[in-house]
Amino acid sequence: MVGMSSVAIVGAGPGLGAAVARRFGREGFGVGLVARDRGRLDAIAEGLADEGITARGFAADVRRPERLAVALAELADALGTVEVLQYSPVPHRDFMRPVLDTGHRELVGPIEFSVYGPVAAVQQVLPGMRRLGRGTILFVNGGSAAVPHPERAGTSIAFAAESAYGHLLHDRLAAEGIHVAQLVIPGAITAGHARKDPEVLAQTLWSMHRERHGFRHYADDLDS
């Protein structure tokens, strides 16, 4: 779609993903929703359409990098060049094992999820951002991205790698007008919470996109 920019929300669900879709959609972005469950994506997209927001779902598993890249290509063709990429899928519970119970095989899933997935997504959308001369890449992680948790070894290790990748991108791409940032959300996203309600977090992410300063931001205190 010529002349329109889109936001791609990888890991879109009915909470944070839908809230971010509404926030960016109100600003005129086409909204691309990426997750595994086609039915749920279609339901979210229909709800957004009722609010006057152009949105479409694209089914992909972030642990299948090639399929994720194809979904993002389809998204850009349908909705316009991806100007904003949000990578925010919720990790699987079985990634959160105690460190002494985590062998190398238990790290395959977390690394696929939090390293291979984001790298594939960024590599797919970056050429379009460069053609636009602008872009924003937003990584959303839990508190173990900042402070490793011994009972959540898989996500702690993989989030650390994702954080390092994001920080490297932040430093390298700033001169090209592409802003890369991370939002760390300690604890659970909670409806009605002053700082961790989905709509509040969506506004935080919108502000990060607009204000374009610094890499790591915190939604709340780490001990919250």
Side-chain angles (χ1 to χ4, degrees):
M1 186 176 292
V2 178
M4 186 173 182
S5 293
S6 64
V7 54
I9 303 169
V10 178
L16 179 61
V20 171
R22 284 191 292 272
R23 185 65 188 88
F24 280 80
R26 288 200 301 270
E27 303 292 338
F29 283 85
V31 176
L33 308 165
V34 182
R36 291 181 298 167
D37 188 328
R38 164 69 69 182
R40 184 155 71 166
L41 290 174
D42 289 345
I44 297 169
E46 288 171 13
L48 293 167
D50 291 342
E51 299 178 43
I53 294 168
T54 300
R56 279 188 57 184
F58 300 85
D61 184 341
V62 300
R63 293 176 65 178
R64 296 177 179 268
E66 294 82 4
R67 175 57 203 147
L68 177 58
V70 168
L72 288 167
E74 293 171 347
L75 187 160
D77 287 343
L79 296 168
T81 302
V82 176
E83 182 179 341
V84 180
L85 169 68
Q86 176 174 305
Y87 192 87
S88 54
V90 178
H92 300 196
R93 285 192 176 275
D94 62 2
F95 295 173
M96 303 180 197
R97 299 172 183 267
V99 63
L100 297 182
D101 296 334
T102 301
H104 67 278
R105 291 184 179 84
E106 284 74 46
L107 290 174
V108 171
I111 296 298
E112 288 175 339
F113 197 88
S114 296
V115 182
Y116 297 168
V119 171
V122 169
Q123 290 290 313
Q124 179 61 41
V125 303
L126 189 55
M129 291 181 178
R130 283 174 157 157
R131 287 192 296 271
L132 286 175
R134 64 184 186 276
T136 303
I137 298 169
L138 300 168
F139 296 101
V140 179
N141 297 104
S144 59
V147 179
H149 194 298
E151 300 302 311
R152 300 171 191 160
T155 51
S156 294
I157 293 165
F159 280 173
E162 183 180 344
S163 299
Y165 177 60
H167 211 149
L168 292 169
L169 292 174
H170 170 84
D171 293 342
R172 183 56 61 92
L173 292 174
E176 299 185 43
I178 298 169
H179 180 58
V180 183
Q182 177 190 50
L183 179 63
V184 174
I185 306 173
I189 296 172
T190 307
H193 191 282
R195 298 178 70 179
K196 295 188 290 186
D197 178 87
E199 302 292 339
V200 175
L201 293 169
Q203 178 59 42
T204 299
L205 288 157
W206 172 255
S207 297
M208 289 165 61
H209 162 64
R210 294 292 296 165
E211 294 169 10
R212 311 179 76 74
H213 65 82
F215 172 66
R216 178 172 283 177
H217 301 255
Y218 294 91
D220 203 354
D221 298 332
L222 281 172
D223 58 359
S224 66

